[in-house]
Amino acid sequence: MEDRFGRRINYMRVSITDRCNLRCRYCMPAAGVPLKSHDDILRLEEIVTLVEAAVQVGIRQVRLTGGEPLVRKNVVGLVGRLAALPGLEEVSLTTNGILLGPLARPLKEAGLGRVNISLDSLRPERYRYITRVGNLETVWRGIRAALTVGLTPVKLNVVVVRGFNDDEILDFARLARREPLHIRFIELMPIGTAAAGEAAYVPVAEIKRKVEEEFTLEPLEALRGCGPARSFRVEGGPGSIGFIGALSEHFCHRCNRLRLTADGKLRPCLYWEGEIDVKTPLRNGASQDELVELFRRAVALKPRQHHLEEGWEQPRVMSQLGG
Ligand code: SAM
Ligand code: SF4
C-alpha cells in the first residue's frame, strides 16, 4: 500500500519484547527501563494475527526486534509461524547476538532469513563497558554461527558514539575486508540515554571521511535488505560498509516501514507521537477486516518526516520503541 506521499509501505519492524539482557549505555540506564506487565505484552499468537493483517496491506518483510528479541520465550516457534505465512517474503531479526550462538541453527531451520547483529566495540573490556554486562566472545560465537548456518548477509550495526568507539571506525571497516560481514555505521539518535547528548553525536559524513582515509568505497546498490543505509563495496574484501544517518541525511522520503511495539501499538514513524492501539481491538474480538483497517489507517497517518533533530532535550527509549 502507498501512503499519502507515494511511499510504498512493505516493511514492518515488530518488537517482541521490551526486555533486554544488556544495558547499553546509550540505550538504557543501568537499572533498565520500567517494563510492561506480562499481560500488556502481545502474546505470540497475537503477533502472528497482526502480521497476517499487515500482509493484507502489503507488508512483505518483517524484522523482529526488541528489547532483545532472543530473550523472548519460543522465538523460534514464532519465526516458524511467521515464515509460513503466505505473502510474507522475509522474516529477519536484529539482535545483540548474546544468545545467537545456540539459536542460529534452529532459527535458520524455522525460516529466518538473516540477522543484523549490534556490536559497538571489537575490544572485550570496552564492549563490557558499553553494554555494562556483555561478553564480546559470546557475541562472536553468535556471529560465527550466523555465518555458518547461512543467516546471510550478516550485518553488524555499529552505533558510533564520540568518546566511546569513534577510534574503532577503521578497525570495523577492516573487518569487512577480512570477513563476509556488512558493517553499518549508525548515527547516534536522541533516543534512550543517548541524551548524554549532542556532544556524543558523530555525523556520518565524519565517519565516512575516516573510513576513506584507508578505503576506496564503491557504491553498492544490490545488497539484500539495504534499508536506509548507503552501502559501499570494500575493495578486495568480501564484506561491505554502509552508513545510516538518521539525523544528518533525512531518508524519510524513502521510508517504507511501520513499527509494531511489544505492547501492541502500531507506530507509523519511530520518532513521532502518533500511534494506533491494535492490541485492545484484537483482544475485544475485532475481525481480520477490522484489524486490516487499522493497519490502513496507520499507513495513512505516516508523516512526511521525523523531527529527530529537535529531540536531544527529551529522548525516548529505543528498546520500547522497537529500534
Ligand atoms: N537488542 C537488539 C540489538 O541491540 O540489536 C535489538 C533492539 S536495539 C534497540 C536495535 C538497534 O538500535 C541496535 O542496533 C542499537 O544499537 C540501536 N540503538 C539503540 N539506541 C540507539 C540510539 N540512541 N541511537 C542509535 N541507535 C540506537
Ligand atoms: Fe539492549 Fe539492544 Fe538497547 Fe543494547 S541496544 S540495551 S542490546 S535493546
Side-chain angles (χ1 to χ4, degrees):
M1 175 177 169
E2 281 192 8
D3 73 358
R4 290 177 290 158
F5 307 104
R7 295 171 297 196
R8 183 175 297 275
I9 310 305
N10 54 16
Y11 174 101
M12 184 163 73
R13 293 180 75 102
V14 178
S15 173
I16 62 172
T17 178
D18 56 350
R19 285 157 207 269
C20 188
N21 48 357
L22 297 183
R23 293 284 179 274
C24 303
R25 283 172 192 270
Y26 56 77
C27 181
M28 280 196 200
V33 293
L35 296 173
K36 305 272 177 205
S37 78
H38 183 69
D39 204 44
D40 280 338
I41 299 295
L42 290 174
R43 293 189 281 272
L44 297 185
E45 58 274 18
E46 292 175 329
I47 295 174
V48 175
T49 302
L50 290 170
V51 172
E52 265 175 320
V55 170
Q56 300 298 308
V57 302
I59 296 296
R60 294 291 172 262
Q61 297 177 14
V62 159
R63 171 171 294 277
L64 304 183
T65 179
E68 170 50 40
L70 298 187
V71 304
R72 179 85 196 239
K73 236 169 101 200
N74 204 9
V75 59
V76 174
L78 175 66
V79 166
R81 291 184 61 187
L82 294 177
L85 287 181
L88 191 63
E89 290 164 9
E90 186 179 68
V91 182
S92 60
L93 185 130
T94 297
T95 172
N96 59 34
I98 294 287
L99 297 174
L100 187 58
L103 281 174
R105 188 171 297 279
L107 284 167
K108 174 74 182 178
E109 286 170 358
L112 189 72
R114 57 198 169 91
V115 284
N116 285 10
I117 301 169
S118 305
L119 178 61
D120 300 325
S121 178
L122 298 170
R123 304 180 192 177
E125 335 66 67
R126 186 179 282 181
Y127 180 76
R128 164 65 54 95
Y129 175 77
I130 293 178
T131 61
R132 291 197 180 96
V133 290
N135 181 323
L136 183 59
E137 192 46 44
T138 314
V139 182
W140 271 111
R141 275 203 288 277
I143 296 171
R144 296 266 169 245
L147 289 172
T148 303
V149 305
L151 286 172
T152 49
V154 174
K155 296 183 187 167
L156 296 191
N157 287 354
V158 184
V159 178
V160 180
V161 182
R162 201 181 300 286
F164 268 16
N165 62 356
D166 52 331
D167 56 346
E168 290 190 61
I169 292 171
L170 281 173
D171 291 343
F172 273 107
R174 289 176 193 132
L175 204 51
R177 191 151 55 193
R178 291 199 305 274
E179 312 258 3
L181 292 172
H182 302 276
I183 311 298
R184 303 199 319 171
F185 292 110
I186 299 175
E187 275 181 0
L188 183 67
M189 292 187 266
I191 291 180
T193 40
E198 219 166 338
Y201 165 74
V202 186
V204 286
E206 183 180 330
I207 302 169
K208 187 157 175 278
R209 269 199 307 278
K210 185 74 197 167
V211 172
E212 284 173 333
E213 284 177 11
E214 193 176 302
F215 291 81
T216 307
L217 295 176
E218 228 181 279
L220 183 75
E221 290 303 330
L223 188 65
R224 198 152 63 99
C226 259
R230 281 189 299 128
S231 295
F232 299 84
R233 192 186 312 282
V234 175
E235 234 183 335
S240 72
I241 296 179
F243 303 91
I244 303 185
L247 276 186
S248 64
E249 301 173 340
H250 258 295
F251 41 69
C252 300
H253 61 285
R254 47 192 176 88
C255 178
N256 62 346
R257 59 185 58 177
L258 290 180
R259 289 185 151 78
L260 178 62
T261 65
D263 60 343
K265 307 280 173 23
L266 206 45
R267 294 186 71 102
C269 171
L270 173 65
Y271 211 76
W272 185 68
E273 290 307 335
E275 59 181 24
I276 292 178
D277 176 9
V278 283
K279 184 186 67 193
T280 308
L282 176 64
R283 290 190 180 169
N284 288 340
S287 68
Q288 185 74 353
D289 283 350
E290 285 164 338
L291 293 175
V292 170
E293 190 45 43
L294 293 175
F295 277 81
R296 274 192 217 294
R297 208 183 297 161
V299 172
L301 270 178
K302 253 181 99 66
R304 184 190 291 274
Q305 61 182 54
H306 66 63
H307 293 282
L308 264 176
E309 63 281 5
E310 294 163 11
W312 290 105
E313 301 305 318
Q314 286 174 323
R316 289 153 232 216
V317 178
M318 188 69 131
S319 60
Q320 291 177 333
L321 294 175

